[in-house]
């Protein structure tokens, strides 16, 4: 039979290393079977309960420290609880350097004026405040802390962008700047591959695998997981792509992230095209639009992204430049007889064209409510059931498609009309012959509209494949044989757009030797020192010792 | 100024070829500017309106035939409307063979007893009835018709499966059986690649591209687009995989579909593993779990699926067999310190393991409501914000993971525990040293639980990569270096399951020369004949001439 005793300490701040060490200290005491030392949040209370360490009678607030000891007998439990203060003090006194450490960012900045970075790993509710201070001191920020509000993230990033500074995070686990790892980072050789990572262990897996495959890293810039949501607008990712595009040491870029919001995906792909450097993209879980679109390559795993980057480095004289195709500012309208071809084309184009609608959408927000009227970019499956009652399939009868083609051509917002021509048994015997005159007629009145077709068929098909292609090409249009080729071409025609210009991140400041101020986890400071970087660790305490009411009062008095 | 006149014909049946030809006939008359001949459904009325062919005063029911003529003057319009009957009759009389044609399925079956297939392309509301008749006559069915209810599809497929027959469709556009194309099909050489296509033009694009890449097709079996929804349960796709697995002519299988329901994806991938033949899978828009899992390869485009299949044929002596790993019947629990590694692993495993849950789900239905308790297969990100208040990250402190590992090991449903070990700066200096003793301890009490780890790091990392791997391997567990490798291994361990057995499709009947009865679009009959197949076309009319009330009365009297 075990005995459980506990102690609740109201609203004081303890850093998480101290809590871990207190727990280990308690576990090392004689007679102690288990111990838990946690901030009494709902999640942590549930965790204690799952470990049979939460007596029912405990009451504590989320800000309270909760210390629970389970021991073999009453006196062991009581002894352990009695030693909490001693254990907390022992931890502190072992830290002999404390006296020499600055206690504020401004003091640290004076002590190490070269510091161009501030690493922040204090608890989430204090992190934004520290970050604001760092921006005021004109420092780049590595923001490891999680539990930072979205509003704070947006405000910090906008403020940083205006100053040409980076805010990597919140919840950014990993970065490598000038060969120095920040946070959790693997030791990798320096090299010509730059990484933009909206995911911590994604960046670790990719950089490790690049190293193991013989490549090296110029910089690996983290963004934090929410950067690629619409609300934040990928501010850090855009800055990172831009600065790596300008960095002469970076020859290849890898962009790794969980699936971005669709509008953000389009913008980032556009920005990646604009870098002019080969970019390997892996949006984890986002179906790749193609293997390759101009200078972009799409991977389907972290290890593949690393391998592609290293291969690109080896074959860096290969054709990875975009053809200099003129850009189209208007909309695409795709008029398909093949439902699957429409679907595959939509899948490929949704990465570069936004917004895009369809009567056969991949995701609900792409649904074209009225299949009879296109909007923005649109892909229509004319063989959909909706159109088919009492009517022949558009592979047999071109009437519906010709009428829709004329309708689209009358829309001044249309810049390209795409369609498929599917040959074979059962289909119209001369679809190109039916469509070509209409295309020629439209090209007279709207010469700026470009026509693109994909022709599916074989040299044995009854329609004569080559003659079908020739009749279409004769109208001056572009003809492809697969959806893949058409998707690449169209993406390059529409995909690139020039984003708003903000002050660029200063490349010189990024590539100077890394020096940093560390606020929070001491192990991050120790890691910087062991890598040969200059660093200062702040002996940080929350405002008013973690007493929120007092802190709020102090803040008001400051104003 | 043009004049529009119209004519409404109540509730009679016309096939869509007749309607197209009537419309063309009207358009060819002098003075006629435009014409529309449609069944008066809401969609068709809207289409007429979009073409300025719908006078406001028209009233018509969806079953009515609506004939609209727009002409230069009143008399031309009136003349055209006056010629409708003549144009309809002309069409009929040109069809001189009509007298020799059977008017029922049973008569056709007597005329061509070799017929093993019935092609059905009558309007959707009649299609299920014709299909039921065909099944009663013991024929395979190619069901081109759309607008067939889901209930009818399920009933037809279950009934067919019990007889070892195939129902390809409804809304199945394409199939190739024994070198003969059904519906819309490209002419391709015969060969060793079998195709299962839940998408019409997907099958056309893949078979065409295989032909153009030098390969050939044994059979291409269509399923219809809804086959891979949970309700239908992929009945036809399972039959198709099974029969292609048994067909000695088929060496490689290609499976193409829009994204299946998650449970169906798992079952099909399992069935594809069980074929023992190399299978190329392209679920359009479904992020590929890996490039390769055992005998399975995953493509990201129709053209790539075709190219992979042809390559596999060329390299058919390469290792594409599954290792004979023992199967695990219990659940996987993944305990990750790396959020992105957890996410990538979930992405890879969701294709083979179902149901699978996570506190960092990819889709909502995977959400693990209570992160503290796993269910079925579970992937936990222990670095999620939920766990992080006042606690060190699991890359630094192993306490949380060790507790959870013990919790999972106490669950009798657990068969495998997976975790990551992420090395590098900032992380725990000896994670393997902290975890290995716990694994050894669990292996004593639960020796049947398998442990698998992925170790991320480099040979320059401060922890000593090789020593970390050695310490883990020392416990008897399996260690991988990438999520990709771990995903392949785990998929093969859990992925294969034996589906319920139903009467197999008779391979001999499938591979005998194709002979068919055609009901509906005459062009499909003509295409069969031109390909050298034996075929009979039925001069089909709907029951009671398309009068639904009378048809329903007749059906009641029959009972």
């Amino acid at each position: 039979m075990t005995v459980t005793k506990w102690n609740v300490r109201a609203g004081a701040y303890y850093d998480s290393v101290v809590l871990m060490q207190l727990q280990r200290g308690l576990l090392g005491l004689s007679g102690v079977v288990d111990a838990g030392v946690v901030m009494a949040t709902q999640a942590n209370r549930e965790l204690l309960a799952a470990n049979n360490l939460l007596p029912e009678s405990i009451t504590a607030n989320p800000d309270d420290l909760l210390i629970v000891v389970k021991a073999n007998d009453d006196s062991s439990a009581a002894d352990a609880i009695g030693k909490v203060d001693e254990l907390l003090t022992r931890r502190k006194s072992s830290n002999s350097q404390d006296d020499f450490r600055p206690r504020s960012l401004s003091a640290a900045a004076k002590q190490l004026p070269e510091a161009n970075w501030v690493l922040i790993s204090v608890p989430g509710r204090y992190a934004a405040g520290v970050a604001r201070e760092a921006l005021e001191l004109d420092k780049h920020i590595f923001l490891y802390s999680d539990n930072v509000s979205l509003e704070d993230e947006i405000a910090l990033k906008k403020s940083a962008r205006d100053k040409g500074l980076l805010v990597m995070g919140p919840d950014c686990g990993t970065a490598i700047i000038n060969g120095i790892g920040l946070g959790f980072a693997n030791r990798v050789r320096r090299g010509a591959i730059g990484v933009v990572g909206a995911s911590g262990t994604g960046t670790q897996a990719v950089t490790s695998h690049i190293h193991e495959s013989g490549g090296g890293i110029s910089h690996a810039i983290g963004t934090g997981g929410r950067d690629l949501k619409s609300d934040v607008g990928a501010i850090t990712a855009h800055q990172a792509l831009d600065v790596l595009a300008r960095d002469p040491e970076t020859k290849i870029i890898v962009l790794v992230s969980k699936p971005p919001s669709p509008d953000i995906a389009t913008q980032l792909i556009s920005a990646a095209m604009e870098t002019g450097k080969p970019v390997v993209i892996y949006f984890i879980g986002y179906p790749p639009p193609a293997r390759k679109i101009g200078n972009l390559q799409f991977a389907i795993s972290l290890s593949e992204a690393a391998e592609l980057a290293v291969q690109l480095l080896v074959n860096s004289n290969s054709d990875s430049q975009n053809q200099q195709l003129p850009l189209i500012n208007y909309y695409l309208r795709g008029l398909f007889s093949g439902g699957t071809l429409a679907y595959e084309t939509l899948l490929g184009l949704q990465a570069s064209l936004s917004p895009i609608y369809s009567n056969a959408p991949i995701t609900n927000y792409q649904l074209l409510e009225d299949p009879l009227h296109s909007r923005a970019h649109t892909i229509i499956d004319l063989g959909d059931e909706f159109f088919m009652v009492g009517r022949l399939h558009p592979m047999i009868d071109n009437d519906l498609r010709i009428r829709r083609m004329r309708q689209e051509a009358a829309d001044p917002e249309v810049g390209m009309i795409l369609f498929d021509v599917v040959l074979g048994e059962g289909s119209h015997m001369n679809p190109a012959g039916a469509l070509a005159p209409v295309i020629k007629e439209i090209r007279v009145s709207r010469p700026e509209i470009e026509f693109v077709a994909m022709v599916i068929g074989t040299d044995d098909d009854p329609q004569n494949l080559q003659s079908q292609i020739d009749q279409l090409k004769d109208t001056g249009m572009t003809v492809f044989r697969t959806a893949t080729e058409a998707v690449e071409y169209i993406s390059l025609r529409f995909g690139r757009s020039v984003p708003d210009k903000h002050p660029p991140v200063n490349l010189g400041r990024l590539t100077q030797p890394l020096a940093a101020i560390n606020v929070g986890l001491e192990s991050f400071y120790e890691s910087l020192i062991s890598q040969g970087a200059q660093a200062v660790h702040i002996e940080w305490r929350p405002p008013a010792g973690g007493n929120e009411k007092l802190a709020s009062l102090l803040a008001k008095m400051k104003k």
Side-chain angles (χ1 to χ4, degrees), chain A:
Chain A
M1 189 61 197
T2 56
V3 176
T4 301
K5 288 190 180 289
W6 62 92
N7 186 223
V8 176
R9 301 189 165 210
Y13 166 79
Y14 299 92
D15 90 37
S16 36
V17 175
V18 172
L19 302 187
M20 175 186 74
Q21 291 181 338
L22 172 57
Q23 182 174 321
R24 288 192 188 163
L26 292 170
L27 279 167
L29 297 175
S30 101
V32 172
V33 176
D34 201 354
V37 178
V38 294
M39 302 306 295
T41 62
Q42 184 58 28
N44 283 336
R45 290 168 61 103
E46 286 173 21
L47 272 164
L48 285 179
N51 287 282
N52 297 314
L53 274 171
L54 188 72
E56 282 172 26
S57 50
I58 285 186
T59 55
N61 296 316
D63 288 342
D64 295 344
L65 178 64
L66 181 53
I67 302 160
V68 186
V69 171
K70 186 191 280 185
N72 285 326
D73 52 61
D74 198 82
S75 71
S76 298
D79 282 357
I81 290 290
K83 283 193 177 142
V84 166
D85 284 312
E86 184 192 327
L87 287 166
L88 281 171
T89 322
R90 190 191 300 167
R91 153 73 190 160
K92 279 199 178 164
S93 61
S94 75
N95 224 325
S96 55
Q97 301 170 319
D98 281 12
D99 299 338
F100 311 104
R101 287 183 165 167
R103 288 173 183 264
S104 74
L105 263 188
S106 53
K110 275 175 199 145
Q111 189 173 325
L112 185 65
E114 303 89 333
N116 37 16
W117 287 86
V118 175
L119 279 64
I120 303 171
S121 52
V122 300
R125 63 187 183 280
Y126 308 116
V130 178
R132 275 190 289 273
E133 269 188 81
L135 289 179
E136 276 163 29
L137 292 167
D138 210 30
K139 311 293 185 192
H140 292 303
I141 293 172
F142 175 84
L143 184 49
Y144 169 87
S145 310
D146 51 31
N147 286 298
V148 172
S149 76
L150 188 62
E151 295 66 37
D152 279 337
E153 173 169 0
I154 294 168
L156 286 169
K157 287 188 169 178
K158 285 189 172 166
S159 158
R161 181 173 61 184
D162 290 343
K163 296 176 160 218
L165 293 170
L166 292 167
V167 173
M168 305 202 292
D171 205 10
C172 178
T174 301
I176 303 174
I177 304 293
N178 277 326
I180 303 293
L182 308 183
F184 302 126
N186 298 91
R187 288 208 177 173
V188 297
R189 81 178 64 80
R190 296 209 63 182
I193 300 173
V195 176
V196 181
S199 62
T201 46
T203 300
Q204 286 198 263
V206 164
T207 54
S208 291
H209 207 59
I210 285 173
H211 172 90
E212 298 214 313
S213 307
I217 301 298
S218 57
H219 305 282
I221 300 176
T223 71
R226 282 188 313 217
D227 190 64
L228 271 55
K229 301 290 170 208
S230 290
D231 298 322
V232 185
I235 291 176
T236 308
H238 276 293
Q239 288 178 300
L241 280 175
D242 175 68
V243 76
L244 291 178
R246 288 183 284 117
D247 174 26
E249 301 301 314
T250 301
K251 308 292 183 200
I252 312 284
I253 299 170
V254 178
L255 172 59
V256 182
S257 159
K258 289 187 187 176
S261 303
D263 53 332
I264 299 297
T266 309
Q267 291 165 20
L268 277 178
I269 284 173
S270 165
M273 283 182 186
E274 283 302 319
T275 63
K277 296 181 178 181
V279 182
V280 177
I281 297 177
Y282 177 40
F283 292 147
I284 310 162
Y286 187 90
R291 287 263 181 250
K292 180 179 168 300
I293 293 178
N295 61 327
L296 311 183
Q297 299 216 14
F298 292 87
I300 64 155
S301 70
L302 294 166
S303 48
E304 189 180 90
E307 287 155 19
L308 279 173
V310 173
Q311 280 166 28
L312 280 167
L313 204 57
V314 174
N315 310 317
S316 61
N317 47 2
S318 72
D319 165 44
S320 62
Q321 297 307 303
N322 298 333
Q323 302 164 55
Q324 283 310 308
L325 294 168
L327 286 180
I328 295 184
N329 292 318
Y330 295 101
Y331 289 125
L332 170 79
R333 300 290 156 80
L335 307 178
F336 281 80
S337 62
T340 305
L341 291 175
Y343 197 83
E344 186 177 41
T345 302
L346 176 60
L347 183 77
L349 291 178
Q350 69 179 359
S352 322
L353 276 62
S354 174
I356 188 163
Y357 297 96
S358 180
N359 64 334
I362 292 166
T363 42
N364 287 339
Y365 63 82
Q366 292 170 337
L367 178 68
L368 183 70
E369 301 277 354
D370 176 3
L372 298 173
H373 295 95
S374 304
R375 52 186 293 217
H377 301 295
T378 293
I379 300 287
I380 292 281
D381 170 14
L382 292 169
D384 184 76
E385 285 189 339
F386 172 84
F387 294 108
M388 287 295 99
V389 179
R391 179 178 285 107
L392 287 171
H393 196 277
M395 281 198 216
I396 307 176
D397 182 4
N398 291 288
D399 181 64
L400 184 63
R401 180 142 68 172
I402 287 170
R403 287 178 186 271
R404 185 62 174 253
M405 217 175 250
R406 289 208 174 99
Q407 178 184 324
E408 301 298 350
D411 180 345
E413 288 193 321
V414 170
M416 183 186 280
I417 294 176
L418 166 72
F419 59 92
D420 60 346
V421 171
V422 182
L423 308 180
E425 292 293 342
S427 293
H428 192 282
M429 286 311 287
N430 184 13
L435 294 168
V438 186
I439 295 165
K440 283 182 180 166
E441 172 200 311
I442 292 172
R443 288 178 71 89
V444 171
S445 57
R446 293 287 311 276
E448 72 280 15
I449 294 183
E450 184 175 345
F451 283 84
V452 175
M454 55 184 86
V455 177
I456 307 298
T458 74
D459 46 8
D460 285 348
D461 277 334
Q463 289 90 350
N464 189 337
L465 172 65
Q466 194 55 52
S467 139
Q468 291 294 305
I469 294 172
D470 291 344
Q471 287 184 73
L472 293 172
K473 284 193 172 167
D474 212 40
T475 68
M477 70 182 296
T478 309
V479 177
F480 295 102
R481 299 297 316 286
T482 63
T484 305
E485 293 164 295
V487 163
E488 176 170 12
Y489 176 80
I490 296 167
S491 298
L492 289 173
R493 294 303 304 281
F494 287 93
R496 290 171 295 148
S497 60
V498 183
D500 295 344
K501 274 294 164 198
H502 297 282
V505 173
N506 184 310
L507 184 62
R509 260 192 77 185
L510 191 74
T511 53
Q512 75 196 38
L514 187 130
I517 298 165
N518 185 58
V519 195
L521 286 171
E522 195 172 346
S523 55
F524 288 169
Y525 162 75
E526 287 157 6
S527 145
L528 288 172
I529 297 297
S530 77
Q531 294 177 81
Q534 281 193 291
V536 171
H537 181 70
I538 294 185
E539 192 58 33
W540 183 83
R541 286 288 173 271
N547 183 320
E548 308 261 339
K549 277 183 192 163
L550 185 55
S552 142
L553 210 67
L554 286 173
K556 276 181 193 154
M557 287 169 68
K558 259 191 177 176
K559 280 183 188 165

